[in-house]
Amino acid sequence: MAEPILEMEHVVAGYGNTTVLHDVNIEIEDGQIACLIGPNGSGKSTLMKSIYGFADVMDGTITLRDREITGRSPQENLANGMSYVLQDASVFPGMSVHENMLMGGYVFEDDDRALARAEELYDEFPILGDIRDQQAGTLSGGQRRLLELARALMVDPEVMLLDEPSIGLEPKFIDDVFERIEQLNELGTTILLVEQNAQKGLSVADRGFVLASGEIKYTGSGEELLNDEEVGRLYLGG
């Protein structure tokens, strides 16, 4: 059994005086793809934001490789092995693809390192290399999501958080994005994703969690949750 890389223990979190998560416990092993599913408003995005430092953690602990990171700022997380692709469009539309890529390396101390890393990623994402001078605001939905994924890899993260990677995409692009997610995982990146398309998310996941009303209701392998009749009836439309 692999060592856990990311853990949440008895986490209570939300925003200001509003509590969204109640006593959440999850554990993700090094090298896994983990998928978080649940109805709208269940707290999935808040769970991601509590890990990354965008939400308030009122109680409990969050650890990365046994080091407590509870309340650590997004800037600190980015500089220390964790990246986050938001659900909402996060490219800078007035900048070129290349300029957007370099923004992903803003925590680096020198420009040369960012430039070198961008070139490495253009080898991994040839389509982005081909359109590096194009304004990001002119990209298709699939190209934009690919740019967001590549930009998040600028810091070569150990853990990547992906919030609704398939949202708003045509079916063809959804398949492309999930194929890329699996490739990134094969290269060693541990991934926690939130996915409204529960069937698709669980189909690529080593580990799955069902969140409802701010609480973890079910956990198991992706395959176990896909085949669980109760989970299927309540959350998969089965």
Side-chain angles (χ1 to χ4, degrees):
M1 182 174 177
E3 288 294 316
I5 187 171
L6 183 65
E7 292 182 85
M8 303 178 75
E9 296 182 285
H10 306 295
V11 169
V12 178
Y15 309 94
N17 295 322
T18 303
T19 301
V20 179
L21 302 180
H22 310 277
D23 196 31
V24 165
N25 294 276
I26 68 171
E27 184 177 295
I28 301 168
E29 294 176 13
D30 198 357
Q32 284 188 329
I33 297 177
C35 179
L36 182 68
I37 68 168
N40 289 332
S42 61
K44 300 186 299 295
S45 290
T46 299
L47 187 150
M48 303 279 269
K49 290 175 180 177
S50 69
I51 294 172
Y52 204 66
F54 287 132
D56 302 318
V57 178
M58 295 89 159
D59 200 4
T61 58
I62 302 170
T63 55
L64 178 67
R65 288 203 186 280
D66 294 324
R67 179 185 178 188
E68 185 172 350
I69 62 168
T70 314
R72 194 165 75 173
S73 72
Q75 291 79 9
E76 288 178 292
N77 280 314
L78 185 63
N80 288 278
M82 186 185 298
S83 61
Y84 183 17
V85 178
L86 298 165
Q87 175 180 332
D88 300 323
S90 62
V91 300
F92 299 97
M95 292 183 176
S96 69
V97 167
H98 185 60
E99 288 167 334
N100 268 271
M101 288 286 285
L102 295 182
M103 288 296 291
Y106 80 93
V107 295
F108 295 155
E109 293 182 357
D110 63 90
D111 293 340
D112 288 343
R113 183 179 174 191
L115 288 166
R117 179 60 177 156
E119 291 301 326
E120 290 176 1
L121 289 167
Y122 290 140
D123 289 339
E124 292 289 328
F125 297 81
I127 188 174
L128 295 179
D130 292 341
I131 59 173
R132 68 173 70 192
D133 296 324
Q134 188 172 326
Q135 274 205 333
T138 66
L139 302 182
S140 68
Q143 290 171 329
R144 174 183 55 76
R145 183 55 87 185
L146 203 60
L147 173 56
E148 290 169 336
L149 286 172
R151 188 178 60 189
L153 289 168
M154 282 287 290
V155 296
D156 197 15
E158 288 187 290
V159 176
M160 180 181 284
L161 309 179
L162 302 178
D163 197 348
E164 301 279 9
S166 74
I167 194 167
L169 298 183
E170 298 176 11
K172 175 187 181 300
F173 290 123
I174 292 174
D175 290 341
D176 289 345
V177 165
F178 272 92
E179 182 178 339
R180 176 59 67 173
I181 288 169
E182 290 184 285
Q183 289 173 349
L184 295 178
N185 178 247
E186 289 169 3
L187 293 171
T189 306
T190 302
I191 295 170
L192 172 61
L193 65 98
V194 165
E195 184 50 61
Q196 196 62 39
N197 185 338
Q199 296 271 2
K200 189 70 175 177
L202 291 176
S203 70
V204 303
D206 303 294
R207 193 75 178 159
F209 306 97
V210 180
L211 188 72
S213 301
E215 299 177 354
I216 298 292
K217 300 295 186 181
Y218 299 90
T219 185
S221 70
E223 184 177 4
E224 286 170 344
L225 294 184
L226 279 173
N227 294 325
D228 187 297
E229 291 184 4
E230 189 74 0
V231 171
R233 181 177 66 83
L234 292 173
Y235 304 106
L236 303 180

